[in-house]
Amino acid sequence: MAVTEPAPVELPPAHEGILRRQALRESAARTYARSLPIVPVRARGMTIEGADGRRYLDCLSGAGTLALGHNHPVVLEAVRKVIDSGAPLHVLDLATPVKDAFTTELFSTLPREFADNARIQFCGPAGTDAVEAAFKLVRAATGRSELLAFTGAYHGMTAGALAASGGATDVRVTRLPFPHRYRCPFGTGGERGADIAARWTEYLLDDPKSGVPEPAAMILEPVQGEGGVNPAPDSWMRRMREITRERSIALIADEVQTGVGRTGTFWAVEHSGIVPDVMVLSKAIGGSLPLAVIVYRSELDLWQPGAHAGTFRGNQLAMAAGAATLAYVRENRLAERAGTLGVRMLAALQALSADHPSIGDVRGRGLMIGIELVDPEAGPPTVTAENGSAPPPDPALATAVQQECLRRGLIVELGGRHGAVVRLLPPLTLTDEQATAVVDRLADALRAAERSPYRRAAAGPTR
Ligand code: PMP
């Protein structure tokens, strides 16, 4: 009997095995991993390389974390320096030279008027931990518990933050209208919509029968990120500051995503010139490692020792990476660069809308950019925008665009209440050539998605 050689077994590429095992072993709640089947093995600047050898331009940047892109030399150097020095990596909330330097650098970037009279609390490592700390602080300081938050907001996934984001929990939050320029709830958009939104806020707070209890704080994002890149008008930000100050309500600015130069100023509150009572900071302040803090007016510092604790509040590597990142953004004026480049990219994307009725709106501030995709042929417009009618959002097209971008080596994020906003959060170190490549690949992906039978594809998760 002839012995036949077994046919060589075709092993699936390593990345396929990893993805398959991830799908089998990780929770159904996984998010980015569903729409971005990439196994990153190397990364530098704006480029990620997958285990399959493919390279991508990364416009997601760790959900807006990587101000300097991946593995920036100053970040790596700062991390290595701590490791080589023999300093402890875990220190609870003890004082260290690394933490001292981080705090000095952070305070030097904050608005003077704020920093001169501020305290910092190091929180658990995620943005949502700092949001909870901010709520706890203002409750302790005011003796009140209720909160004010806005439609379209996103503050995190723990109970208080989730409630402030519109999730169902038993934390009491009054939801106020955010001045959305494209899907304005009052059908006017612009300054007029912002004015009505502010009046509604005042009316609710001053009407003794409104059913809104006296709140401890109002939390807002100067540019809503996950909500679909909605910049708040500067005049509205100033109104919110006046309204809260006049009524002794603490104003919490959530700059988790907008901070560290992203919107064209170092902190996004600088656009309007307001000084909040509390700032919530995370993502980019850790230079790509987990770090979250609140900085607040010292008069609010009324909580008891140990009122807010946590084992992981002393991440030395994150503080070193963060201090290096903050210094680099400041010294190289990357906020200004983000502003200039953002204007250019917005203009290029707006120009695309002439040929694409599926582009409902292009908006953003600095390098926080959103393109809302709509279906101009589907049904009557639901909400009227500033400059006419806004057709219904098209999340299936957005999902198709994201997939077509991926095919073209571009990673983009989806957001917005309907998941129909393509979001760009490139690193602030983006070159002119990379900015052009992003716009070109996106335009090409949109053309391909519009031609594809995308409507049959199920829209994926948005976060
Ligand atoms: N606030 C804002 C404005 C955010 O964008 C996010 C995260 N996208 C958070 C809070 C929560 O941060 P984390 O995911 O680190 O908990």
Side-chain angles (χ1 to χ4, degrees):
M1 199 168 69
V3 179
T4 48
E5 282 285 313
V9 182
E10 277 275 322
L11 284 175
H15 81 118
E16 277 180 24
I18 292 170
L19 289 174
R20 193 167 34 78
R21 286 191 291 282
Q22 179 186 42
L24 287 172
R25 298 195 292 217
E26 290 189 26
S27 98
R30 66 193 187 283
T31 50
Y32 303 102
R34 288 178 184 274
S35 49
L36 303 171
I38 301 170
V39 180
V41 288
R42 251 179 303 277
R44 186 75 169 201
M46 202 188 172
T47 306
I48 288 187
E49 193 184 316
D52 57 357
R54 293 204 62 202
R55 290 158 72 90
Y56 303 88
L57 283 181
D58 182 8
C59 265
L60 174 53
S61 301
T65 303
L66 306 168
L68 305 184
H70 294 270
N71 294 342
H72 193 281
V74 299
V75 169
L76 297 184
E77 191 194 325
V79 169
R80 282 199 191 105
K81 209 167 138 199
V82 175
I83 293 173
D84 293 346
S85 75
L89 298 181
H90 190 293
V91 293
L92 298 166
D93 68 346
L94 303 185
T96 68
V98 173
K99 186 201 249 188
D100 188 53
F102 169 80
T103 307
T104 303
E105 181 57 46
L106 179 68
F107 273 49
S108 82
T109 68
L110 289 165
R112 255 267 81 83
E113 207 185 326
F114 184 61
D116 280 351
N117 181 35
R119 290 274 186 279
I120 185 168
Q121 164 77 17
F122 288 82
C123 305
T128 200
D129 299 318
V131 169
E132 298 295 342
F135 292 164
K136 201 194 267 182
L137 175 84
V138 295
R139 284 177 175 141
T142 64
R144 300 176 224 137
S145 64
E146 278 74 20
L147 302 165
L148 304 172
F150 291 91
T151 50
Y154 183 77
H155 300 290
M157 282 281 167
T158 48
L162 188 61
S165 311
T169 70
D170 53 11
V171 178
R172 185 97 200 238
V173 176
T174 297
R175 196 151 306 284
L176 299 166
F178 187 84
H180 198 301
R181 72 172 211 164
Y182 187 61
R183 296 194 183 278
C184 170
F186 309 110
T188 60
E191 290 290 327
R192 175 101 187 94
D195 179 50
I196 301 173
R199 280 165 187 261
W200 177 244
T201 299
E202 277 174 322
Y203 180 80
L204 271 189
L205 293 175
D206 294 344
D207 175 2
K209 295 270 187 319
S210 66
V212 176
E214 223 186 330
M218 168 188 283
I219 182 164
L220 54 75
E221 295 158 85
V223 181
Q224 289 187 339
E226 307 296 333
V229 194
N230 307 311
D234 294 341
S235 56
W236 179 85
M237 290 284 286
R238 287 189 281 269
R239 281 282 283 282
M240 291 307 110
R241 178 61 284 190
E242 271 166 38
I243 288 171
T244 48
R245 185 181 289 119
E246 283 162 4
R247 292 162 183 79
S248 302
I249 299 168
L251 180 64
I252 304 172
D254 180 343
E255 290 243 27
V256 168
Q257 194 164 139
T258 49
V260 194
R262 167 84 32 211
T263 69
T265 47
F266 207 101
W267 302 103
V269 289
E270 292 168 40
H271 289 292
S272 60
I274 67 156
V275 179
D277 298 302
V278 185
M279 286 176 75
V280 183
L281 314 176
S282 187
K283 291 201 195 268
I285 64 160
S288 69
L289 298 175
L291 187 61
V293 302
I294 54 172
V295 184
Y296 51 93
R297 217 159 39 81
S298 60
E299 290 79 13
L300 291 172
D301 201 27
L302 297 175
W303 52 16
Q304 296 299 311
H308 197 69
T311 306
F312 290 109
R313 288 178 296 151
N315 189 338
Q316 298 295 285
L317 294 182
M319 289 174 195
T325 300
L326 295 170
Y328 192 88
V329 171
R330 179 175 54 75
E331 286 160 6
N332 293 281
R333 307 171 82 90
L334 291 189
E336 283 170 36
R337 166 88 182 139
T340 316
L341 215 47
V343 168
R344 210 179 300 157
M345 287 179 78
L346 275 181
L349 293 166
Q350 264 146 7
L352 275 183
S353 56
D355 298 329
H356 295 274
S358 62
I359 297 183
D361 192 30
V362 178
R363 54 183 180 255
R365 205 150 203 189
L367 289 176
M368 201 168 168
I369 296 173
I371 303 120
E372 180 158 344
L373 298 175
V374 295
D375 186 348
E377 275 147 38
T382 41
V383 186
T384 313
E386 180 180 11
N387 45 5
S389 56
D394 195 340
L397 177 60
T399 302
V401 168
Q402 187 184 39
Q403 294 312 308
E404 292 294 343
C405 281
L406 206 58
R407 266 193 210 126
R408 287 158 181 78
L410 177 66
I411 298 173
V412 297
E413 152 87 306
L414 298 185
R417 274 309 188 237
H418 309 278
V421 180
V422 176
R423 300 214 300 135
L424 302 179
L425 291 161
L428 315 185
T429 48
L430 181 77
T431 64
D432 290 354
E433 294 72 33
Q434 285 169 329
T436 306
V438 168
V439 174
D440 288 350
R441 287 184 202 185
L442 183 58
D444 202 38
L446 178 59
R447 276 189 289 274
E450 284 171 338
R451 284 195 305 267
S452 74
Y454 65 84
R455 281 197 180 81
R456 286 202 295 276
T462 61
R463 188 171 293 120

